[in-house]
Amino acid sequence: MAETSPDLSLPELSFADAADGVIAMAHYAGAKGLVPATSGNFSVRMTATHAAVTATGANKAALVRDEVIEAEIAGAKHPRASAEAPLHLVRYVHAPEIGAISHIHSLAATLLSRRHEAEGVLRLEGWELLKAFSGIHTHETVMEVPIVPNDQDTDRLAMLVERRLRESPPGFGYLIAGHGLYVWGATYQDVLRHMEAFEFLLTAQLYEEGRP
Amino acid sequence: MAETSPDLSLPELSFADAADGVIAMAHYAGAKGLVPATSGNFSVRMTATHAAVTATGANKAALVRDEVIEAEIAGAKHPRASAEAPLHLVRYVHAPEIGAISHIHSLAATLLSRRHEAEGVLRLEGWELLKAFSGIHTHETVMEVPIVPNDQDTDRLAMLVERRLRESPPGFGYLIAGHGLYVWGATYQDVLRHMEAFEFLLTAQLYEEGRP
Amino acid sequence: MAETSPDLSLPELSFADAADGVIAMAHYAGAKGLVPATSGNFSVRMTATHAAVTATGANKAALVRDEVIEAEIAGAKHPRASAEAPLHLVRYVHAPEIGAISHIHSLAATLLSRRHEAEGVLRLEGWELLKAFSGIHTHETVMEVPIVPNDQDTDRLAMLVERRLRESPPGFGYLIAGHGLYVWGATYQDVLRHMEAFEFLLTAQLYEEGRP
Amino acid sequence: MAETSPDLSLPELSFADAADGVIAMAHYAGAKGLVPATSGNFSVRMTATHAAVTATGANKAALVRDEVIEAEIAGAKHPRASAEAPLHLVRYVHAPEIGAISHIHSLAATLLSRRHEAEGVLRLEGWELLKAFSGIHTHETVMEVPIVPNDQDTDRLAMLVERRLRESPPGFGYLIAGHGLYVWGATYQDVLRHMEAFEFLLTAQLYEEGRP
């Protein structure tokens, strides 16, 4: 597993620049079929206290600026925040090195998270494309991606996730069973690369395991 | 299963507006490969008595306004109506809350409807994306999608379908064995989202079941 | 199996119009990934004695007019004819109702033709999309698609194919083992629809059979 | 296996022309999803001593001229060369008939190279599309694609590859286990065709083998 050295000094971003990053991630995910039926959500940290986040109900594949809101990371809930906004915001609280987060519903993530829910973890091992994650320099890596059960109470789910992540080696994302994938990075460009790498690796893993 | 509260007061639409909805659904389905070889058909309700419906023989992926007709819901058959128009029109008669309907031939719908024909139902359970359907608010849902046998006599088939649907919990669509999927909603925008959700869920279900 | 009533009076086409049909089929197949690595070839009958055919070596996905040649159906080999031109031309000799032919290398055709080579036939049965073929009006159809062994001597292969087709019920195409599909129709528009229908049906069949 | 007759007299190319070939291969691979998450690299030989090669870190799907460097085939390492540049350059040293090389990370190449790593070779046999490779004239061919273990020391890996290739019949590429495919040809146009042929054949092979 690569070590990610927390970077406490990410540059501050204006809302306009952060929203551009949110839109770039959303359009990429939409074009690749990773956010079916208006699912998924995206965020970019602006400062220690604020982040740009997709508003509830938007079609992410065609996201426009008006559908990105400026949310307080630890403050009151924004009136247009989606139900899943807490899952983004608590990550920014606990991980100062994170500058951007995507939540996507890819087919491979949905299937593998259900199949391995009882184990609580999905292991990705030996694939060259593991090197696409920031700080991983060899395929001789075992990436352990935590899997948590799904829960419609997202505040409770966020607390569970953070507890699991504190016990896990530093990583780049986690799965919610039958639901999808959260993936992060220092910048939205890193998250674009990490989304593409997870999509390839999860699809390869799904094929390699075969079917039930 | 989410409750759908029948809405007896859908706004009336002009033929022009209804035809735009028909074209939007047809082009979406065409772009996604859900209506191969000129298959599929689409409709939007205008009033209690009329609906805009795709004419017979059109290539839905490239549908134009002249290929949409104004059909009486309970009246004489339109000379350019497709053989499957009755399956749209009786739904409007029996379900006042329905404002738009798509009929598509996706690979997953075709395969699963054949595989589960003897059971007469396909169960979709526990997937987060079930929440994409109007009125479903939790993944802890069992959606029962009725499956009816295929029949080239579409008047007889429509009667069978309506009888099955009266006995089933309210839902969003049904499968015809070896044939495809009917899916509806209050507006064509809802149907676009429901088509995308069914396509994802049926594909996930097909992968999860594995192959014979 | 639908009856195809031979039409001895197909309208004559100019080379320009026939070449447009060849290009339309080639571009469609290219866009769908059915002619990988410059494979595949396409033809449209002009008259009882001539047809427009793709020249050897062209990239079909980007076919231009100069890469379509005017070939004699029963005459001397055109200097730019591809090695597979005889497989097109003998069909025009034996079947006056055929106005256009596509040869494509889809994944499903390649796999199923190898798997069922020993049986010599692939059966497609009960699928609604069988109705996409001209003259088939019900899913209660068994379409028997002949499979012949591959052979680099295309004159010999063409003779074998015609012998097999004389013994078979009238149909819309045949498979060459490990190689691909030939598909025809009265017009190039029919062939576009038949290509799309075969691609859907062969893919569905491949999934339904499962894997070895 | 087809004989490839070494061509010692490839025409010399300017850097501009060679870079255009590099960009054409990179854009093709990007459009087809063969270089996920900025993976992959591409080169075109200019002369006996120099080649145009993709620089490290570039997004190949959107490669621009500034991201192509002029590297010495047997000289000092270019400061912007990627870690995998040696795997391209030693091929040019050992095989004068090679004018262009692609390295891609397709799903099928990644999966099959892991599955067959212990055998050290993947056999492709009897497929018509084998004829897409320069010099192969019949499907009655067994193409043996060498598989080498993955190694982050690319100088060491390059030596191992060259030793394996000297012991193998002349071919068109090799696999690195869990990593991807190297593929070459006399010109970048040949490599485009060979990439497309390998992608089809490896995908067909993966389906034909079935899953574990």
Side-chain angles (χ1 to χ4, degrees):
Chain A
M1 191 70 177
E3 310 262 318
T4 52
S5 42
D7 175 3
L8 295 161
S9 53
L10 284 172
E12 299 204 348
L13 293 181
S14 67
F15 175 70
D17 285 348
D20 282 349
V22 168
I23 290 169
M25 294 188 291
H27 288 186
Y28 170 82
K32 296 290 186 179
L34 303 176
V35 286
T38 79
S39 66
N41 33 67
F42 302 89
S43 67
V44 171
R45 184 203 288 268
M46 298 162 56
T47 64
T49 58
H50 286 77
V53 186
T54 39
T56 188
N59 179 355
K60 310 316 178 302
L63 194 73
V64 295
R65 179 72 68 90
D66 277 353
E67 294 168 321
V68 183
I69 59 179
E70 182 174 338
E72 285 186 75
I73 287 175
K77 195 176 188 248
H78 190 289
R80 293 172 62 211
S82 82
E84 288 172 329
L87 291 161
H88 288 251
L89 301 177
V90 296
R91 286 270 67 211
Y92 291 124
V93 171
H94 287 99
E97 73 278 15
I98 293 181
I101 304 176
S102 282
H103 169 50
I104 54 178
H105 287 224
S106 81
L107 197 66
T110 304
L111 289 162
L112 286 169
S113 61
R114 253 162 92 114
R115 184 183 291 180
H116 294 279
E117 181 177 4
E119 298 151 69
V121 67
L122 179 72
R123 284 185 190 78
L124 300 171
E125 180 172 5
W127 306 99
E128 175 72 9
L129 215 73
L130 287 163
K131 286 170 57 189
F133 292 96
S134 296
I136 295 189
H137 299 299
T138 173
H139 66 285
E140 293 175 335
T141 295
V142 182
M143 181 187 283
E144 302 207 333
V145 187
I147 306 175
V148 296
N150 199 5
D151 190 336
Q152 295 305 325
D153 181 334
T154 49
D155 288 317
R156 189 169 58 199
L157 182 55
M159 285 202 320
L160 173 66
V161 165
E162 295 302 323
R163 197 161 58 231
R164 274 296 307 279
L165 292 173
R166 269 200 306 277
E167 298 160 3
S168 308
F172 304 91
Y174 65 90
L175 294 158
I176 307 177
H179 181 148
L181 173 73
Y182 276 80
V183 49
W184 53 76
T187 65
Y188 84 84
Q189 291 95 336
D190 285 345
V191 177
L192 286 170
R193 199 178 65 250
H194 293 172
M195 272 198 279
E196 196 163 0
F198 264 128
E199 183 60 10
F200 179 91
L201 291 168
L202 295 173
T203 304
Q205 181 72 21
L206 187 66
Y207 274 75
E208 189 165 86
E209 289 186 4
R211 298 198 175 146
Chain B
M1 191 69 174
E3 310 263 315
T4 53
S5 43
D7 176 2
L8 296 160
S9 55
L10 284 173
E12 300 204 346
L13 292 181
S14 67
F15 175 70
D17 285 349
D20 282 350
V22 167
I23 290 169
M25 294 187 293
H27 287 185
Y28 171 83
K32 296 289 186 180
L34 304 175
V35 286
T38 82
S39 66
N41 34 67
F42 302 89
S43 67
V44 171
R45 185 203 285 270
M46 298 162 56
T47 64
T49 57
H50 286 78
V53 186
T54 40
T56 189
N59 178 356
K60 308 318 176 300
L63 194 74
V64 294
R65 180 71 68 88
D66 277 353
E67 295 167 321
V68 184
I69 59 177
E70 182 174 338
E72 285 187 76
I73 287 174
K77 195 174 189 254
H78 190 289
R80 293 171 63 210
S82 83
E84 288 173 328
L87 290 161
H88 290 250
L89 301 176
V90 297
R91 285 271 66 212
Y92 291 123
V93 171
H94 288 98
E97 73 277 14
I98 293 180
I101 304 176
S102 282
H103 170 49
I104 53 179
H105 286 224
S106 80
L107 195 67
T110 304
L111 289 162
L112 285 170
S113 61
R114 254 163 93 114
R115 185 184 291 182
H116 294 279
E117 180 176 5
E119 299 151 68
V121 67
L122 178 72
R123 283 183 190 80
L124 300 171
E125 179 173 4
W127 307 100
E128 175 73 9
L129 216 73
L130 287 164
K131 287 171 56 189
F133 291 97
S134 297
I136 295 191
H137 299 299
T138 173
H139 66 284
E140 292 175 335
T141 295
V142 182
M143 181 186 281
E144 301 208 332
V145 188
I147 306 174
V148 297
N150 199 6
D151 190 336
Q152 296 305 325
D153 181 334
T154 49
D155 289 315
R156 187 169 59 198
L157 182 55
M159 285 203 320
L160 172 66
V161 165
E162 295 301 323
R163 197 161 58 232
R164 273 297 306 280
L165 292 174
R166 271 200 304 278
E167 299 160 3
S168 307
F172 304 91
Y174 64 88
L175 294 159
I176 307 177
H179 181 150
L181 173 73
Y182 276 81
V183 49
W184 53 76
T187 66
Y188 83 83
Q189 291 94 337
D190 284 345
V191 178
L192 286 170
R193 199 178 65 249
H194 292 173
M195 272 199 278
E196 196 163 0
F198 264 128
E199 182 60 11
F200 179 91
L201 291 167
L202 295 173
T203 304
Q205 181 72 21
L206 187 67
Y207 274 76
E208 190 165 86
E209 289 186 5
R211 297 198 176 145
Chain C
M1 190 68 176
E3 311 262 316
T4 53
S5 43
D7 176 3
L8 295 159
S9 54
L10 284 173
E12 300 205 344
L13 293 180
S14 66
F15 175 70
D17 286 347
D20 283 349
V22 167
I23 290 169
M25 294 189 291
H27 287 185
Y28 170 83
K32 296 289 187 181
L34 304 175
V35 285
T38 80
S39 66
N41 35 67
F42 303 89
S43 67
V44 171
R45 185 203 285 271
M46 298 162 55
T47 65
T49 56
H50 287 77
V53 187
T54 39
T56 189
N59 177 356
K60 309 317 176 304
L63 195 73
V64 295
R65 180 70 68 89
D66 277 354
E67 295 167 320
V68 183
I69 59 177
E70 183 174 337
E72 285 187 75
I73 286 174
K77 194 174 188 243
H78 190 290
R80 291 172 62 211
S82 83
E84 288 172 328
L87 291 161
H88 288 250
L89 300 176
V90 295
R91 285 270 68 211
Y92 291 122
V93 171
H94 288 98
E97 74 277 14
I98 292 179
I101 304 175
S102 281
H103 169 50
I104 54 180
H105 287 225
S106 81
L107 196 66
T110 304
L111 288 162
L112 285 169
S113 61
R114 253 162 92 115
R115 185 184 292 181
H116 293 278
E117 181 175 6
E119 298 151 68
V121 67
L122 178 72
R123 284 184 189 80
L124 299 171
E125 180 171 6
W127 306 99
E128 175 73 9
L129 215 75
L130 287 163
K131 287 172 56 190
F133 291 96
S134 296
I136 295 190
H137 299 298
T138 172
H139 66 284
E140 292 175 335
T141 295
V142 182
M143 181 186 282
E144 302 208 332
V145 187
I147 306 174
V148 297
N150 198 7
D151 190 337
Q152 296 304 325
D153 181 334
T154 49
D155 289 315
R156 187 169 60 197
L157 181 56
M159 285 203 320
L160 172 66
V161 166
E162 295 302 322
R163 195 160 60 229
R164 273 296 306 278
L165 292 173
R166 269 200 306 278
E167 299 160 3
S168 308
F172 304 91
Y174 65 89
L175 294 159
I176 308 178
H179 181 151
L181 173 72
Y182 275 80
V183 48
W184 52 77
T187 65
Y188 84 83
Q189 290 96 335
D190 285 345
V191 177
L192 285 170
R193 200 177 65 250
H194 292 172
M195 272 200 276
E196 196 163 359
F198 264 128
E199 182 60 10
F200 179 90
L201 291 167
L202 295 173
T203 304
Q205 181 72 22
L206 187 66
Y207 274 76
E208 190 164 86
E209 290 186 4
R211 300 205 171 137
Chain D
M1 191 69 178
E3 312 262 317
T4 51
S5 44
D7 175 3
L8 295 160
S9 53
L10 285 173
E12 299 205 345
L13 293 182
S14 67
F15 175 70
D17 285 348
D20 282 350
V22 167
I23 290 169
M25 294 188 293
H27 287 185
Y28 170 83
K32 296 290 188 181
L34 305 175
V35 285
T38 80
S39 65
N41 34 67
F42 302 89
S43 68
V44 172
R45 184 202 287 268
M46 298 162 55
T47 64
T49 57
H50 286 79
V53 186
T54 40
T56 188
N59 178 355
K60 311 314 177 306
L63 195 73
V64 294
R65 179 72 68 90
D66 277 354
E67 295 167 320
V68 183
I69 58 177
E70 182 174 338
E72 285 186 75
I73 288 175
K77 196 176 187 250
H78 191 286
R80 292 172 61 211
S82 83
E84 287 172 329
L87 290 161
H88 288 251
L89 301 176
V90 296
R91 286 270 68 210
Y92 292 123
V93 171
H94 288 99
E97 73 277 14
I98 293 180
I101 304 175
S102 281
H103 169 50
I104 54 180
H105 288 225
S106 80
L107 197 66
T110 304
L111 288 162
L112 286 169
S113 61
R114 254 163 92 115
R115 185 184 290 179
H116 293 279
E117 181 176 5
E119 298 151 69
V121 68
L122 178 72
R123 285 185 189 78
L124 299 171
E125 179 171 6
W127 306 99
E128 175 73 10
L129 215 73
L130 286 163
K131 286 171 55 188
F133 292 96
S134 296
I136 296 189
H137 300 298
T138 173
H139 66 284
E140 292 175 336
T141 295
V142 182
M143 180 186 282
E144 303 208 332
V145 187
I147 305 175
V148 296
N150 198 7
D151 190 336
Q152 297 303 326
D153 181 334
T154 48
D155 288 316
R156 186 168 61 197
L157 182 55
M159 287 204 319
L160 172 65
V161 165
E162 295 303 322
R163 195 160 59 229
R164 273 296 306 278
L165 292 173
R166 270 201 304 279
E167 298 160 3
S168 307
F172 304 90
Y174 65 88
L175 294 158
I176 307 177
H179 181 149
L181 173 72
Y182 275 80
V183 48
W184 53 77
T187 65
Y188 83 83
Q189 292 95 335
D190 285 345
V191 177
L192 285 170
R193 200 176 67 249
H194 292 173
M195 271 199 279
E196 197 163 358
F198 264 128
E199 182 60 10
F200 180 91
L201 291 167
L202 294 174
T203 304
Q205 180 72 20
L206 187 66
Y207 274 75
E208 189 164 88
E209 290 186 4
R211 296 194 178 150

